[in-house]
Amino acid sequence: MSDRIAAGPQLDRVRPAAPSGVAELDFVPVPVPRPADGPAPGASPPPLDPPRRTMRALRDRHHELREDILAGRADGVARQHRLGKRTARERIDALLDEGSFIELDMYRRHQAHGLRMEENRPHTDGVVTGSGTIDGRRVFVYAQDFTIFGGSLGAAHASKIHKVMDLAISTGSPLIGLIDSGGARIQEGVVSLSGYGGIFQRSVQASGVIPQISVVLGPCAGGAAYTVALADFAFMVRDTAQLYLTGPDVVEAVSGQRVTHAELGGADVHGRRSGVATFVHDDEDACLADVRYLVSMLPANNLEYPPRSPECDATTDLRPRLADIVPVEPNRPYDMRAVVAELVDDGEYLEMHENWAQNVICLLARIDGEVVGVVGNQPMVLAGVLDVDAAQKAARFVRFCDAFSIPIVTLIDVPGFLPGVDQEHSGIIRHGAKLLYAYCEATVPRIHVIVRKAYGGAYIVMDSRTIGTDLSLAWPTNEIAVMGAEGAVNVIFRKELAAAADPARLRAELVEEYAEQLMHPHYAAERGLVDDVIDPVQTRAAVARGLAMLRNKRKPTPQRKHGNVPL
């Protein structure tokens, strides 16, 4: 072997002689410095070890972040309280059973860039979403957080709402939205509008499948207003809730009309005039308590029945007071709510749209433990006639009850449709057809009680026998006819009355004759249009027995995509 080896491209070294008894090496060993020796001359110092990632450190950091998120921004929380409003999490705590809330997407943050958005990326992105229970029954909920971006809706915010809506639909659970938002997040542009589109599309898909409840607890402006309009029930709180498509500034710029937020879209406006608000409350505590009460009367979805309470012997319960509430004279007013209070369990009920279209009442209650929807004419207001608003109010309620297997009880005391140019021009024909359509389409058990008057087309529309009611009951005070006796006589005997020497006396005789022949209490029963004429004191028992009889009603619907409601 050669005495010289190549040690590099240009260097040669002399190989030292191997010690006796040791085989020659074909390389030169280089001493490795030990830690005590320090780094080799000219070498860089070794890098420092990174901090140790312990489980305790990770847990501490996680808990600290979580507590910060749950606490929220102190200034924002204080501002909410100054305005008399709860925070999003406080509202959820008040709504749901204690300790039942499971939050989703707590750590979600927006991914927007530009307009300095990347400098402000709070967790939750302004909406708290998840699931919990009300009286042990599963619901899904989202609560917009006004302390973050004014509760405005951006892409991440919308995605969180989409997720809980999808879960509510797939699990068959009610959906509750607690709304407190300035509307679309302008900084995210058209993406925000797209987020609303996803909410609307899901709301329509959920309609008639799960109950949807919107609770307006602050501003709700622009396209966001349709989340309320599409819901089955809308709650609003006075002084804090604001609901409109275009705010006061836009209204003034376009029309020159100055209007306040409350005058334009406050709770009382929508509770009394527009009919958008189903319930109006003075404060959040009462509002959220009523949301809980409403949920307790609703089924979880369209495949279930409403929760029953224990039976209370209603089938044998006589109510003597019913014989005194309703005057025999057809033109004397009374409060139909007094009849309802005697009819339902414990006199308890939940009335919808209490201050809108008051000439008809719509409410949920229980009879012998079974949840029912009650529709009734209200003689205290406009004599109980049907008009544009009353027809819309009752039609929407009937359709909701039918969608969720809630039997319908109709209390009839209607003199007809409200006459007048304004009503005709406002579309009373079209709007009245909505109520007619709703009743004709309904497949749930249907019972009506003719308390007193039932005249003309309004009688037919109020779930008459000929449009499909299952059980027709009537009091001895019932008057079923094309019109009242006096009106009928004026039409039929117009010429005779004009020629009579004493028209008033002749009219009285003819009215009595007409009523005796065509409007006596058993006239409709003799012709099979009424199943039974009952003593008023037996009304609660008769209705309870009817509901028990109809409990297993099944009525297949024709195969079609859907009907064409006269909207």
Side-chain angles (χ1 to χ4, degrees):
M1 183 177 293
S2 170
D3 291 336
R4 304 178 66 88
I5 60 172
Q10 304 293 335
L11 301 177
D12 289 335
R13 290 187 180 178
V14 177
R15 175 185 297 166
S20 176
V22 178
E24 288 189 357
L25 300 176
D26 59 358
F27 64 92
V28 178
V30 178
V32 178
R34 297 175 181 170
D37 298 334
S44 299
L48 297 176
D49 290 336
R52 296 184 64 190
R53 291 169 55 87
T54 66
M55 177 60 75
R56 179 168 183 172
L58 292 172
R59 291 177 64 202
D60 289 345
R61 181 180 177 187
H62 166 70
H63 290 308
E64 181 180 353
L65 174 60
R66 190 178 185 88
E67 289 172 2
D68 287 344
I69 296 172
L70 293 175
R73 290 174 43 200
D75 57 339
V77 172
R79 183 174 183 275
Q80 283 285 95
H81 291 166
R82 284 196 306 271
L83 294 173
K85 299 161 63 176
R86 294 173 180 264
T87 65
R89 296 184 185 281
E90 288 171 344
R91 290 164 175 165
I92 289 175
D93 289 342
L95 175 66
L96 302 179
D97 297 338
E98 184 176 359
S100 68
F101 184 54
I102 302 171
E103 186 168 351
L104 305 174
D105 284 334
M106 174 187 286
Y107 306 103
R108 191 70 180 267
R109 304 166 78 183
H110 74 75
Q111 307 299 317
H113 295 277
L115 301 177
R116 299 183 180 178
M117 286 293 289
E118 61 273 11
E119 299 173 10
N120 185 16
R121 300 178 61 234
H123 292 91
T124 75
D125 200 49
V127 63
V128 181
T129 59
S131 176
T133 60
I134 292 179
D135 295 328
R137 301 172 65 225
R138 177 66 52 192
V139 299
F140 282 80
V141 62
Y142 66 87
Q144 292 178 307
D145 186 351
F146 198 80
T147 69
I148 296 177
F149 294 132
S152 62
L153 184 138
H157 185 123
S159 178
K160 292 179 65 174
I161 295 176
H162 295 168
K163 180 181 290 187
V164 293
M165 294 184 78
D166 290 340
L167 288 171
I169 296 170
S170 63
T171 61
S173 306
L175 174 72
I176 304 171
L178 307 180
I179 299 171
D180 190 359
S181 169
R185 190 174 301 167
I186 300 173
Q187 298 94 321
E188 296 195 33
V190 71
V191 175
S192 298
L193 301 181
S194 175
Y196 276 123
I199 293 173
F200 302 155
Q201 194 270 343
R202 287 169 172 80
S203 184
V204 171
Q205 294 302 313
S207 182
V209 178
I210 58 172
Q212 299 180 79
I213 301 170
S214 288
V215 187
V216 186
L217 301 167
C220 181
Y226 287 110
T227 61
V228 181
L230 290 172
D232 297 307
F233 302 97
F235 289 75
M236 294 185 72
V237 175
R238 288 187 179 93
D239 300 328
T240 57
Q242 302 162 9
L243 177 66
Y244 39 66
L245 288 176
T246 54
D249 294 339
V250 177
V251 170
E252 182 178 0
V254 173
S255 68
Q257 182 181 5
R258 292 187 177 182
V259 63
T260 66
H261 291 279
E263 291 169 339
L264 182 63
D268 285 322
V269 169
H270 291 299
R272 296 178 183 275
R273 300 188 63 181
S274 74
V276 173
T278 319
F279 305 96
V280 174
H281 292 277
D282 290 329
D283 56 68
E284 292 192 13
D285 289 343
C287 178
L288 295 175
D290 253 11
V291 174
R292 289 179 59 92
Y293 183 40
L294 173 62
V295 170
S296 74
M297 304 186 78
L298 302 179
N301 54 67
N302 65 325
L303 300 180
E304 297 184 7
Y305 290 102
R308 288 185 58 88
S309 294
E311 295 180 1
C312 48
D313 299 323
T315 56
T316 58
D317 191 357
L318 303 182
R319 296 299 176 100
R321 187 167 178 266
L322 284 173
D324 301 323
I325 292 174
V326 180
V328 174
E329 299 83 1
N331 295 326
R332 284 184 58 190
Y334 64 93
D335 191 347
M336 186 63 84
R337 294 188 186 91
V339 175
V340 171
E342 293 295 319
L343 185 64
V344 303
D345 296 352
D346 302 318
E348 294 183 356
Y349 55 84
L350 183 61
E351 185 172 352
M352 318 290 154
H353 298 287
E354 183 176 355
N355 296 311
W356 177 62
Q358 297 180 64
N359 41 322
V360 69
I361 59 173
C362 300
L363 54 92
L364 290 172
R366 284 186 169 88
I367 297 179
D368 212 19
E370 183 174 0
V371 175
V372 297
V374 179
V375 179
N377 305 111
Q378 175 56 290
M380 292 287 289
V381 180
L382 296 175
V385 298
L386 289 177
D387 61 3
V388 167
D389 288 344
Q392 292 183 79
K393 172 181 172 178
R396 182 162 172 78
F397 181 69
V398 167
R399 287 176 65 82
F400 175 83
C401 290
D402 185 53
F404 290 99
S405 303
I406 300 174
I408 302 168
V409 176
T410 305
L411 305 177
I412 304 173
D413 190 348
V414 61
F417 288 98
L418 180 63
V421 175
D422 289 343
Q423 285 292 305
E424 296 292 346
H425 290 183
S426 297
I428 185 60
I429 297 173
R430 177 167 52 88
H431 294 296
K434 295 178 183 178
L435 181 55
L436 178 61
Y437 193 104
Y439 270 124
C440 289
E441 189 180 44
T443 61
V444 293
R446 292 152 54 187
I447 299 173
H448 78 216
V449 180
I450 302 172
V451 176
R452 207 169 51 172
K453 302 181 298 297
Y455 295 163
Y459 154 66
I460 299 174
V461 168
M462 289 294 291
D463 202 21
S464 64
R465 161 64 75 188
T466 52
I467 68 169
T469 197
D470 298 299
L471 181 61
S472 174
L473 305 174
W475 286 10
T477 48
N478 81 81
E479 295 182 354
I480 308 173
V482 176
M483 63 179 67
E486 290 192 11
V489 165
N490 288 335
V491 172
I492 298 172
F493 301 103
R494 177 174 56 86
K495 293 181 180 180
E496 291 85 342
L497 290 170
D502 189 352
R505 180 179 177 181
L506 177 60
R507 179 181 290 105
E509 293 174 353
L510 292 173
V511 166
E512 183 178 356
E513 180 182 356
Y514 181 92
E516 180 64 27
Q517 292 185 14
L518 299 177
M519 297 177 64
H520 63 81
H522 298 88
Y523 183 85
E526 291 171 358
R527 288 154 179 79
L529 298 176
V530 167
D531 296 306
D532 195 8
V533 178
I534 61 173
D535 188 324
V537 303
Q538 298 175 331
T539 306
R540 173 170 160 80
V543 171
R545 289 196 297 267
L547 291 170
M549 177 181 72
L550 297 169
R551 189 162 294 151
N552 295 323
K553 175 186 175 182
R554 296 290 184 271
K555 185 176 180 180
T557 56
Q559 293 297 318
R560 58 180 176 179
K561 187 173 183 181
H562 56 72
N564 188 15
V565 183
L567 299 173

